[in-house]
Structures are given as C-alpha cells and as structure tokens.
Amino acid sequence: MGLKSFIQQVSTLLFSTECNINTKFRFSQSEINEILANADSDNVKYFESLAKIKELSAFDVSYLMSKVKLDDRKISLISSACKMFDEKEFCALGQTFSDFIFRVSANINLLNESNLDVFKELVQCKNELYDFSKALKNPAKARHQRHSSKCAYAFENVFVQ
C-alpha cells in the first residue's frame, strides 16, 4: 500500500504543478530559468510584466532584471520607450533595439513620460554615450539649445589666395 499511495501523491503533485504553469510565455523554459537565475531577487515579481512587452527579447529582459532596480513606474517607462522605438529610424543609424534598451536602463532614473521625446532624439544621435543625465535633468534647455554661428578655425592663421 505504501508504494501505491506514494505514486498517487506524486501524480497528484505533478498534475497540480502542471496546472499552475503559465504557458503564455513566449520564452522557452531554459530561457526563463536563466533569466530568473540571474535576476535580482527584488525584480523577480516584475518578470511577467516585462515578458508581456513583446518587443523585449529574453536577453533584454534578463539584462533589465539583473541590472536595473525595477518598480511599476520603470516598467511603464520601459513599455513606453519600446513603443517609441522605430526600427527604420534607428537601424539606419546602426543602432539595435538592445542598444536602445541599454540606454534606457542607463537613464531610467531620470526618465519620465514628459522627457521621453528628448531621450529619443538623444539616442538617435550618432554617439557612443549611454548617460544623458545632463540633458534629461533639463530637457527644455537641451531641446532648444542654439549653436553659435561664430566661425572657428583649427588653424591660428588662415591664408586666402
């Protein structure tokens, strides 16, 4: 009788576990295990929210969960930023979606819904900067900054023939 009850108990537990598994994820089980193994323990509760953002790959989700201190506001900002990403605009500049996510994560503490447009313009510039803290602290100044029309030369004397 001990073996029969053991098998029944194991089958009952397996069935209940299978029913609790959410199969709506678009990541494989090995990807999910790797993401959760590398994630910050405080960020595990945000895994499902990040997984619902269709633009994010398993690599992007893993990076965000391990490197960024997440909260509901940041998840909302990441979602909004992902919707702003236009592959034609950015890929023409040689930037991938993962590059964009890295820049979002580097500036996530300074981002809000009002300065996302400025952030997008900064990311579209051809540069290797990831930290836009000065521009995001004062987006109106960064957006409307005028360049000097004063001529400057790299040479001390310019000779014209």
Side-chain angles (χ1 to χ4, degrees):
M1 280 297 222
L3 182 62
K4 183 179 178 184
S5 64
F6 175 74
I7 292 173
Q8 286 177 338
Q9 185 179 7
V10 169
S11 65
T12 304
L13 290 173
L14 283 175
F15 179 72
S16 66
T17 304
E18 286 178 18
C19 290
N20 289 331
I21 294 175
N22 189 352
T23 59
K24 296 177 185 174
F25 287 122
R26 55 195 170 87
F27 305 127
S28 69
Q29 188 63 42
S30 63
E31 289 173 328
I32 292 172
N33 291 340
E34 185 177 337
I35 290 169
L36 294 177
N38 294 321
D40 185 354
S41 59
D42 295 334
N43 290 338
V44 172
K45 60 186 172 189
Y46 298 107
F47 173 67
E48 191 170 351
S49 300
L50 286 174
K52 287 181 182 177
I53 302 173
K54 293 182 176 147
E55 294 87 358
L56 295 175
S57 67
F59 175 75
D60 298 330
V61 171
S62 178
Y63 179 80
L64 289 168
M65 288 190 61
S66 64
K67 300 294 183 192
V68 178
K69 179 77 174 145
L70 296 171
D71 58 26
D72 291 331
R73 181 189 71 81
K74 291 177 183 175
I75 297 291
S76 174
L77 285 171
I78 291 168
S79 178
S80 298
C82 288
K83 290 175 185 170
M84 286 177 38
F85 183 82
D86 184 11
E87 195 166 331
K88 291 178 184 176
E89 291 176 5
F90 286 90
C91 289
L93 300 171
Q95 298 179 16
T96 65
F97 184 72
S98 290
D99 291 332
F100 181 72
I101 292 300
F102 294 158
R103 290 180 183 200
V104 169
S105 68
N107 297 286
I108 193 86
N109 292 326
L110 298 172
L111 287 176
N112 55 44
E113 294 294 332
S114 63
N115 67 6
L116 275 176
D117 293 332
V118 172
F119 175 74
K120 181 181 176 184
E121 290 176 15
L122 290 170
V123 172
Q124 285 178 327
C125 297
K126 260 197 157 172
N127 60 38
E128 297 301 319
L129 293 176
Y130 281 82
D131 184 15
F132 301 121
S133 56
K134 290 181 182 176
L136 292 175
K137 285 180 183 176
N138 192 353
K141 183 179 177 184
R143 179 174 273 182
H144 299 294
Q145 187 175 13
R146 300 282 181 212
H147 294 288
S148 173
S149 60
K150 181 181 171 186
C151 294
Y153 298 99
F155 306 101
E156 187 173 322
N157 295 321
V158 177
F159 299 101
V160 180
Q161 288 183 343

